[in-house]
Amino acid sequence: MLKVENLQVYYGGIHALRGVNINVEQGQIVSIIGANGAGKSTFLNALSGIIRPKEGKISFKGKSLPQIPYKIVAAGISQVPEGRLVFANLTVKDNLMMGAYLRKDKHGIEKDLGKVFELFPRMAERVDQPAGTLSGGEQQMLAIGRGLMSNPDLILLDEPSLGLAPLLVKTIFEIIKDIKKLNKTILLVEQNAYKALSIADKAYVLEQGRIVKTGTGSELIKDPSIQEAYLGKTLKSYRSND
Amino acid sequence: MTAFMQQIINGLSIGSVYALMAVGYSLVYSIMNFSNFAHGGVIMMGAYIGFFLLTAFKLPFLIAFGLAGVGTGVLALVIERIAYSPLRKRNAPFLYFIISAMGASIFLENIVVATIGPTFKTYPRIFSPEPIAVGNLSIGRLDLIMCVISTISLAALIYVIEKTKVGTAIRATAYSVRASALMGVNTDQIIMIVFGLGGLLGGIAGVLFGMKYTVYPQIGFITMKSFIAAVFGGLGSLPGAVIGSILLGIIETLTSGYISSQYRDLIAFALLIFILIVRPIGLMGKTTEDKA
Ligand SMILES: Nc1ncnc2c1ncn2[C@@H]1O[C@H](COP(=O)(O)OP(=O)(O)OP(=O)(O)O)[C@@H](O)[C@H]1O
Ligand SMILES: [Mg+2]
C-alpha cells in the first residue's frame, strides 16, 4: 500500500534520513522503533509533505504520492503528530471537525464522529470544552480521534505513548488495535519498543537515519541485539506492569 | 459632563474606524507572527480609491465603499504574493518580512505621490454637517455613519471567524500552521484569505478616515496608530484589537478635548512604548517571544 524507496532528507547540512526503504501492506500495523534523534518524526513528516525530501520515491496505493500536505491528506494519509498539537484554542468538537476539513459527505462525517466517540467516550462528554484544558492523555486521545476524522486509509502515529502514565499507555495501544479493526492501516513510530513491537505485524529499526533491521514484531522482540539495545530495561518493567 | 460624554462619543466613532484597521494587523499577525506594515499603505489606497469613485465617477457612496474594499482586498493579496509569499517559501527570518513590508509601504506611498501628487484631497460632502441631537448631546452624521459601517463590518468579520468552516480553519492555522496543514488545510490559501479580509476592512476604514479628515499619501503612516491599538489590545487577538482601538479612540479625543490636539499622536505613540515595556502581550494577546 505504501512503498518508500531511498528516502533522503537533509536539514541544511544535517543528513537526517540516509536512504530509507519501507513497505507497508494494507491492513497491517507497522512499527518503526528508534532512539531519540534517529529520524522517526522526520520520516513521518516527509510522508506528510511537511518536509521535502531531497531524493527518494514514495508511492501510495500504486500511485506516486503528491508533495503538498493537504493533497496527501486527500489521498488518504493522516498524521497524529508528536506532541499532539491539538488546537488548544478550539473546542473538542471543532478539533474533530478540523480533522474532517476536506470532507463533504455530511453523513460519513457524522458516522465517523460516532466511531471516534465510541473509541473515546470521554471526548463525547467534552465536546464543547476548549482542547487546551484537556489533560495530556485526553489530548492524545483527541489527537488520534482528529486523525481518524479524515477517514484515512493509512494513519501515521508519532509516539502516541509519549509522556503518558503506564495504564494510559496500555489503553492507547489497545485503541491502536481497535483502529486496525476499523480497517485502517497503521504506521506507528515509537521509542516504547516493547509495546510497539508486540502489536506490530512488521517492524523496522531506525538508527541515525538508516533502517538497520526489519522483521515481524515477534521476531524482533526475540532478537538478542534488539533486546540489548531497545528492550533491556523496558522488558522487565513492562512485564511487571502487564 | 455633557462635554465629556461628547468626547466619549467622538472617541467611539474614531475608535471604531481604528478597529477596522487594527483587525487587519491582528489577523495577519495571528497566523504569520509578523506585523504587516504594508497595511497602512493598503488603507491609504482605500482612501484614494473611495475618493476617486466618489468624485470622478460620482458613484453612490455605499457602492464606493464596496468597491474600495474589493480593490484593497485584491491589493493586499497582491502584496502577499509579491512581497511575502516568496519569503515564506524560503522560510526567511522575520526581519526579512518586516523589511519587505516597509518596502511595500514606501512603494505605495511613492507611487501615489508620483502619479496623483502629494497634495491633500478633500472628500465631497455627502452628509449634512448638521448634527443629530440626542438629549444634550449632538452626534455628527458622519460620526454616526462611521460607527455603523465599522460595527457592521466587524460583526461580519467576527461571524466569519467564529461561525464558519473557513473561520475555524483560520483559528486553527493561527494556533499551528503545521497541525492545520496536517488536517488537510491549504494553509497558503488561508493566508491569502486572511490578507484579503484584512485588506477589505482596511479599505473601508480608509474611506471612512478620508471622509473624516482628508486624503494624502502619508495616511498610511498615521493609520499606524491602529497598529498601536492592536498591540495595546494584544496582537493576534481580534477582541483585543477592537477593545484596544476603542480605548485608543477615546484616549485621543480626550487628549484633544482636554489637553491639546497637538499632543494627540504624541500620547498615542508614548502609549505604545509604555505598553511594550509593561505588558508586551497587550490586554488579551497570545503569548509569544517574537513581537517583530
Ligand atoms: N527542523 C530541524 N532542523 C534541523 N535539524 C533537525 C530538525 N528537525 C530534526 N532535526 C534533526 O534531525 C534528526 C532527526 O530528528 P527527528 O525529530 O526526526 O528524530 P526522532 O527520531 O523523531 O526523535 P524523538 O524520538 O526524539 O522524537 C535529529 O538529529 C534532529 O536534531
Ligand atoms: Mg520524534
Side-chain angles (χ1 to χ4, degrees):
Chain A
M1 173 185 228
L2 176 79
K3 195 170 161 101
V4 180
E5 288 169 274
N6 186 32
L7 197 70
Q8 308 263 359
V9 173
Y10 289 80
Y11 293 108
I14 302 169
H15 197 172
L17 293 184
R18 303 159 183 254
V20 171
N21 299 293
I22 265 179
N23 215 334
V24 178
E25 304 292 342
Q26 166 90 39
Q28 283 186 333
I29 296 181
V30 174
S31 295
I32 301 177
I33 59 168
N36 284 110
K40 304 181 298 296
S41 302
T42 302
F43 180 65
L44 295 192
N45 282 329
L47 290 181
S48 288
I50 299 289
I51 302 167
R52 191 156 292 209
K54 183 144 188 197
E55 246 181 78
K57 253 180 38 197
I58 305 174
S59 69
F60 181 61
K61 294 194 273 190
K63 275 187 265 171
S64 146
L65 191 70
Q67 294 216 320
I68 301 166
Y70 71 92
K71 290 188 180 163
I72 293 169
V73 176
I77 299 182
S78 82
Q79 187 194 137
V80 179
E82 180 177 301
R84 298 127 199 180
L85 291 181
V86 296
F87 303 113
N89 56 338
L90 265 50
T91 61
V92 166
K93 177 79 187 286
D94 281 345
N95 267 274
L96 292 171
M97 292 316 281
M98 281 306 297
Y101 187 73
L102 288 175
R103 295 176 68 179
K104 305 257 183 302
D105 55 325
K106 278 221 168 64
H107 281 297
I109 295 174
E110 282 302 316
K111 228 175 79 195
D112 286 339
L113 200 58
K115 282 188 205 160
V116 168
F117 288 153
E118 252 173 61
L119 284 176
F120 307 108
R122 205 174 303 178
M123 292 303 113
E125 299 159 17
R126 310 277 172 109
V127 274
D128 293 322
Q129 190 173 323
T133 63
L134 297 176
S135 75
E138 289 162 351
Q139 289 191 9
Q140 186 62 62
M141 294 178 189
L142 178 59
I144 296 175
R146 188 181 64 174
L148 286 170
M149 284 303 293
S150 66
N151 191 22
D153 300 313
L154 173 65
I155 184 162
L156 314 176
L157 301 173
D158 195 344
E159 300 205 41
S161 73
L162 192 72
L164 302 184
L167 201 63
L168 212 48
V169 171
K170 211 174 152 191
T171 316
I172 292 283
F173 277 93
E174 287 306 319
I175 283 163
I176 294 173
K177 286 193 241 165
D178 291 340
I179 294 172
K180 183 183 174 183
K181 287 188 203 126
L182 294 174
N183 225 348
K184 309 274 179 212
T185 308
I186 296 157
L187 182 55
L188 168 68
V189 146
E190 265 293 345
Q191 282 194 53
N192 190 335
Y194 180 72
K195 284 276 182 193
L197 292 178
S198 33
I199 63 166
D201 298 298
K202 186 157 124 193
Y204 293 88
V205 181
L206 187 66
E207 267 174 24
Q208 291 171 20
R210 279 196 191 89
I211 298 289
V212 295
K213 204 151 238 168
T214 176
T216 66
S218 41
E219 275 165 17
L220 291 190
I221 281 190
K222 289 186 215 116
D223 187 309
S225 65
I226 302 277
Q227 286 189 345
E228 190 178 345
Y230 296 95
L231 301 171
K233 266 201 252 148
T234 22
L235 195 58
K236 251 186 263 148
S237 60
Y238 274 105
R239 286 237 168 102
S240 56
N241 268 326
D242 272 359
Chain B
M1 192 60 202
T2 313
F4 179 76
M5 282 310 292
Q6 193 69 53
Q7 299 291 356
I8 296 286
I9 289 176
N10 295 343
L12 278 176
S13 145
I14 189 68
S16 68
V17 178
Y18 285 152
L20 271 190
M21 303 173 178
V23 290
Y25 283 109
S26 248
L27 272 173
V28 169
Y29 185 87
S30 73
I31 291 185
M32 303 190 40
N33 284 302
F34 88 101
S35 308
N36 172 25
F37 287 119
H39 191 51
V42 171
I43 293 168
M44 179 264 304
M45 292 302 282
Y48 274 99
I49 297 173
F51 173 78
F52 284 110
L53 290 176
L54 287 169
T55 52
F57 297 95
K58 306 226 173 340
L59 289 178
F61 94 104
L62 276 180
I63 295 183
F65 268 109
L67 288 180
V70 171
T72 49
V74 172
L75 176 65
L77 270 183
V78 170
I79 292 174
E80 198 282 321
R81 288 287 96 180
I82 295 176
Y84 306 136
S85 179
L87 295 178
R88 264 193 303 121
K89 301 239 150 72
R90 275 188 283 131
N91 279 325
F94 287 113
L95 185 62
Y96 288 38
F97 284 83
I98 302 286
I99 293 169
S100 201
M102 289 182 169
S105 160
I106 292 168
F107 174 83
L108 289 176
E109 187 176 319
N110 281 284
I111 207 149
V112 168
V113 172
T115 56
I116 303 169
T119 54
F120 288 73
K121 307 244 182 242
T122 311
Y123 265 73
R125 175 173 294 155
I126 298 168
F127 307 106
S128 141
E130 192 65 32
I132 300 165
V134 181
N136 293 339
L137 304 169
S138 63
I139 303 173
R141 285 169 202 263
L142 179 58
D143 286 330
L144 190 62
I145 295 282
M146 281 161 63
C147 242
V148 169
I149 291 187
S150 302
T151 308
I152 292 174
S153 312
L154 286 171
L157 176 74
I158 288 169
Y159 176 82
V160 169
I161 300 286
E162 296 293 330
K163 298 285 178 219
T164 66
K165 186 171 166 183
V166 70
T168 311
I170 290 174
R171 284 181 289 142
T173 309
Y175 183 76
S176 164
V177 178
R178 183 154 68 93
S180 188
L182 287 176
M183 296 304 109
V185 176
N186 181 347
T187 49
D188 213 43
Q189 200 179 58
I190 292 293
I191 287 171
M192 289 173 69
I193 291 172
V194 158
F195 271 89
L197 284 174
L200 175 74
L201 297 195
I204 293 173
V207 178
L208 291 172
F209 198 81
M211 282 181 166
K212 174 84 176 174
Y213 304 108
T214 49
V215 191
Y216 51 97
Q218 288 78 32
I219 280 186
F221 180 69
I222 287 302
T223 55
M224 213 146 81
K225 280 191 284 183
S226 66
F227 170 69
I228 298 175
V231 174
F232 188 20
L235 261 181
S237 154
L238 284 192
V242 173
I243 291 168
S245 300
I246 302 288
L247 286 176
L248 179 71
I250 291 174
I251 290 169
E252 269 195 24
T253 48
L254 290 181
T255 311
S256 310
Y258 291 100
I259 304 172
S260 152
S261 61
Q262 284 178 330
Y263 283 96
R264 197 181 62 190
D265 295 349
L266 183 70
I267 289 193
F269 283 94
L271 181 69
L272 172 68
I273 294 168
F274 179 72
I275 297 156
L276 288 176
I277 293 168
V278 297
R279 191 176 158 77
I281 66 161
L283 297 174
M284 5 191 28
K286 72 172 186 177
T287 37
T288 170
E289 324 75 58
D290 191 293
K291 190 130 272 200

